Amino acid sequence: MDRAWEADPPDVSSARSTGTLQVRPLADRTGWQAAGEVSLATRTAWERALDRLALEDVEVCHLELSGVTFVDVAGVSALAVAVQGLPEGRRIMIEQPPAAVGRVLDMFWPDLPGVEVVAR
């Protein structure tokens, strides 16, 4: 895995601030650590991280989200789509996500194979 990246800054004409998202490879296991917000302004960086995570050739990929303060429904949807695209037998372990991530997954994808949420 290579260097971390940050989402492009939101358009300065935007009426409100939407934050940033930083994504870095984990040092001790295969996966990524994210910090910031997953929203419209950071969606490209989020989807890029999920795409790269899905390409890893390991049984379990980790996605550590303890530094994420907000994930919108579209961000959880992108996560579910990435999980659905994993080869059989592979899974993504979501570690310490904001509570909304687990709730939205349970609400819209209650029996989604390939994802394990380890709550705070």
Side-chain angles (χ1 to χ4, degrees), residues 76 79-80 94 100-110 112 115 117:
V76 179
L79 174 62
I94 305 167
V101 172
R103 288 194 302 261
V104 172
L105 284 172
D106 286 344
M107 185 181 306
F108 294 107
W109 299 276
L112 181 63
V115 68
V117 178

Side-chain angles (χ1 to χ4, degrees), residues 32-50:
W32 297 94
Q33 177 182 33
E37 296 181 0
V38 177
S39 63
L40 180 61
T42 62
R43 182 88 18 83
T44 300
W46 177 245
E47 290 175 350
R48 192 174 355 169
L50 294 172

Side-chain angles (χ1 to χ4, degrees), residues 52-115:
R52 294 180 114 191
L53 193 65
L55 293 174
E56 294 294 335
D57 191 21
V58 294
E59 184 179 332
V60 179
C61 290
H62 300 267
L63 186 56
E64 202 278 314
L65 301 179
S66 65
V68 173
T69 58
F70 174 78
V71 179
D72 64 11
V73 173
V76 179
S77 179
L79 174 62
V81 168
V83 169
Q84 290 169 340
L86 292 174
E88 188 173 331
R90 296 228 359 249
R91 69 181 199 270
I92 295 176
M93 183 175 294
I94 305 167
E95 301 169 2
Q96 301 180 29
V101 172
R103 288 194 302 261
V104 172
L105 284 172
D106 286 344
M107 185 181 306
F108 294 107
W109 299 276
D111 299 318
L112 181 63
V115 68

